[in-house]
């Protein structure tokens, strides 16, 4: 995973029942943070920025990944659109140009 950037474009994993999708996404990050080989970065865009707020249990895991040295980022345009800047409890705001830089260096794994 160290040569990957995870792109989180939703606050749930998969289509279907919202509660199930949120639980599956939380399980993904619970297991990811237990690995020794962590991703280079996690970039949240669109509804994925909600995973960085306290309204999502995923935020706890993203904060722990951040503390372990994983760069956790939120798309500025998306944060502004959803008006969640004051609600972010993990990650830092970044722009699309930086994501493009990351994508040019690392393989992108999209979670949606």
């Amino acid at each position: 995973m160290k040569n990957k950037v995870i792109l989180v474009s939703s606050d749930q994993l998969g289509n279907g029942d919202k509660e199930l999708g949120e639980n599956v996404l939380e399980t993904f990050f619970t297991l990811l943070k237990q690995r020794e080989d962590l991703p280079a970065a996690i970039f949240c865009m669109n509804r994925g920025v909600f995973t960085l707020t306290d309204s999502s249990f995923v935020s706890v895991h993203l904060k722990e990944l951040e503390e372990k040295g994983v760069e956790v980022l939120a798309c500025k345009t998306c944060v502004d659109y959803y008006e969640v800047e004051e609600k972010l409890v993990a990650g830092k705001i970044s722009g699309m140009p930086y994501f493009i830089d990351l994508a040019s260096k690392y393989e992108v794994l999209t979670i949606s």
Side-chain angles (χ1 to χ4, degrees):
M1 291 297 267
K2 66 182 176 180
N3 294 322
K4 292 186 175 39
V5 171
I6 298 176
L7 175 61
V8 181
S9 62
S10 179
D11 54 352
Q12 60 184 5
L13 186 53
N15 295 323
D17 184 78
K18 182 172 173 38
E19 186 176 340
L20 174 63
E22 290 171 345
N23 289 336
V24 172
L25 185 62
E26 183 183 4
T27 299
F28 174 84
F29 282 109
T30 298
L31 296 172
L32 179 66
K33 74 180 184 186
Q34 296 171 9
R35 296 177 58 98
E36 286 187 36
D37 61 328
L38 298 173
I42 298 168
F43 192 90
C44 300
M45 65 173 2
N46 208 320
R47 288 198 58 83
V49 297
F50 285 98
T51 64
L52 299 170
T53 69
D54 59 8
S55 67
S56 173
F57 291 123
V58 173
S59 66
V60 172
H61 308 297
L62 291 172
K63 190 169 190 146
E64 287 181 36
L65 284 161
E66 191 173 33
E67 291 167 359
K68 291 182 175 191
V70 176
E71 207 170 8
V72 177
L73 306 161
C75 166
K76 178 169 181 25
T77 301
C78 305
V79 166
D80 291 347
Y81 180 84
Y82 289 115
E83 300 177 346
V84 295
E85 184 171 359
E86 300 300 319
K87 298 175 183 176
L88 296 179
V89 295
K92 65 180 183 180
I93 297 174
S94 184
M96 197 58 68
Y98 187 63
F99 174 71
I100 292 170
D101 287 344
L102 288 171
S104 71
K105 295 178 192 173
Y106 303 101
E107 181 182 347
V108 177
L109 173 65
T110 303
I111 301 296
S112 61

